[in-house]
Each structure stands twice: as C-alpha cells, then as structure tokens.
C-alpha cells in the first residue's frame, strides 16, 4: 500500500488495492462460512495435507534459492515499475489475488475463521463476526491509506523517503 500511495495516482490506486484485498478475504470467508453451514466438516487425510505443505515449502525454497543466486543489478526492480504503471482496476485485482495467494496471511486468516466455522451462528450473527474478522485482519492494509487521506501533505514526504529506502535496499529485500 505504501508503494501504491507513492504512485502519481496514489490514493485512487491504493484504495482500489485495499478494496480488492478486503473483498478477497470477505469473499473467501463468506464462501467458507456458507459452505460450513450447508455441509458437514470436510476432512483431508494427514498424508495429503502433509504432502501439499511439503510441496509448497519446497517451492518456496526453490524460489528463494533462485533469487539468492541472481546477480545484483542497478536497474529499477520490476515490482517498482509494476506499481508505477498499475491502473486502479489492476490494483483491485492485484489486491484480491494477494489476499487469496499469500500463503502466510491466508493461513492466519483461515485460523481466525475456524472459530466462526465451528460456532454455527445464525446468519446475521455470523455475518457480523465475519465482517469483524476481516476488518481486524485487514487493519494493516487500510490504516496507511487512512493516514494518507487524513494527512496528505505530511504523508507525501514520508512515502518518498520510504520509496527511496526500499529502492536502495531492493537486493536485500528481494533475497530475504
């Protein structure tokens, strides 16, 4: 969100990203909650779930090793160019996809959602709890946008400083 806010269409593009991000979690939570209301608990064997987790871990290690072995370049990294040229529609889609494909955040979200799925609340109560989970879970994403909208002039200098710092540390951040 901070990189999107430093874009020339900052607030609009960042708002679209935040909308897509929150919509992704709200949609996923809604689908899972409705499915849990309609069906019995779905169980997956431990062998299958362990195999999937080992496969995903191996894939992450492969990408980390590949990134580590790349030579450092002085050109602008691809993700900075991506954030500079992104449109609001693509930003919303990107936020939606990040919400669904970021394995670490998805695991945390599904853990918090498991309490709702196990509770068997009434429809209106379940929707309130689901919305509350999404609001709390997405707090770190929409907070910078709200601060930027409330204090645009003070935020602009900080965003440019943050962007320059990220560009200077791009090699370390992409490996780590």
């Amino acid at each position: 969100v901070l990189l999107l806010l430093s874009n020339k269409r900052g607030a609009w593009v960042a708002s679209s990203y935040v909308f897509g991000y929150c919509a992704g979690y709200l949609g996923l939570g809604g689908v899972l909650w409705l499915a849990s209301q309609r069906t019995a608990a779905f169980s997956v064997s431990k062998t299958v779930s362990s195999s999937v987790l080992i496969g995903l871990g191996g894939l992450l290690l492969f990408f980390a090793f590949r990134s580590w072995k790349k030579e450092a370049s002085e050109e602008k990294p691809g993700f900075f160019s991506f954030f500079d040229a992104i449109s609001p529609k693509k930003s919303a889609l990107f936020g939606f996809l990040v919400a669904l494909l970021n394995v670490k955040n998805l695991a945390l979200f599904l853990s918090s959602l498991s309490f709702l799925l196990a509770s068997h609340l009434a429809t209106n109560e379940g929707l309130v709890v689901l919305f509350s989970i999404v609001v709390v879970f997405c707090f770190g994403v929409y907070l910078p946008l709200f601060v930027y909208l409330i204090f645009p002039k003070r935020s602009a200098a900080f965003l440019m400083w943050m962007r320059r710092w990220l560009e200077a540390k791009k090699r370390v951040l992409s490996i780590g």
Side-chain angles (χ1 to χ4, degrees):
V1 173
L2 294 174
L3 285 175
L4 291 172
L5 285 171
S6 66
N7 185 329
K8 59 186 166 221
R9 298 173 288 177
W12 184 244
V13 174
S15 299
S16 299
Y17 176 84
V18 169
F19 173 77
Y21 188 82
C22 293
Y25 283 119
L26 193 59
L28 176 65
V31 166
L32 292 175
W33 179 66
L34 289 174
S36 75
Q37 298 295 310
R38 304 276 182 234
T39 62
F42 176 73
S43 64
V44 177
S45 73
K46 289 184 178 183
T47 305
V48 172
S49 62
S50 297
S51 299
V52 168
L53 290 175
I54 288 172
L56 288 173
L59 189 64
L60 289 174
L61 286 172
F62 168 75
F63 285 129
F65 183 74
R66 193 178 80 170
S67 177
W68 179 53
K69 287 296 184 182
K70 280 186 182 177
E71 292 294 320
S73 67
E74 291 304 316
E75 63 190 44
K76 194 175 191 182
F79 63 88
F80 285 114
S81 302
F82 172 76
F83 288 125
D84 287 340
I86 195 167
S87 70
K89 286 182 185 178
K90 287 183 182 177
S91 179
L93 179 63
F94 182 63
F96 185 82
L97 291 175
V98 165
L100 299 180
L101 299 178
N102 186 339
V103 178
K104 175 189 62 118
N105 286 353
L106 191 59
L108 292 171
F109 178 73
L110 292 176
S111 295
S112 64
L113 194 64
S114 67
F115 294 105
L116 173 64
L117 300 179
S119 67
H120 302 291
L121 296 172
T123 303
N124 57 349
E125 295 168 341
L127 289 174
V128 168
V129 171
L130 174 62
F131 186 74
S132 300
I133 290 171
V134 171
V135 165
V136 169
F137 194 78
C138 297
F139 183 74
V141 175
Y142 62 76
L143 180 66
L145 177 63
F146 287 160
V147 170
Y148 178 80
L149 292 174
I150 293 169
F151 307 109
K153 290 182 181 179
R154 293 181 76 185
S155 300
F158 174 73
L159 288 171
M160 290 315 295
W161 174 82
M162 169 108 17
R163 184 181 182 96
R164 284 192 298 273
W165 185 86
L166 287 171
E167 287 174 349
K169 308 292 186 210
K170 66 183 179 201
R171 177 73 178 150
V172 175
L173 293 172
S174 66
I175 291 175

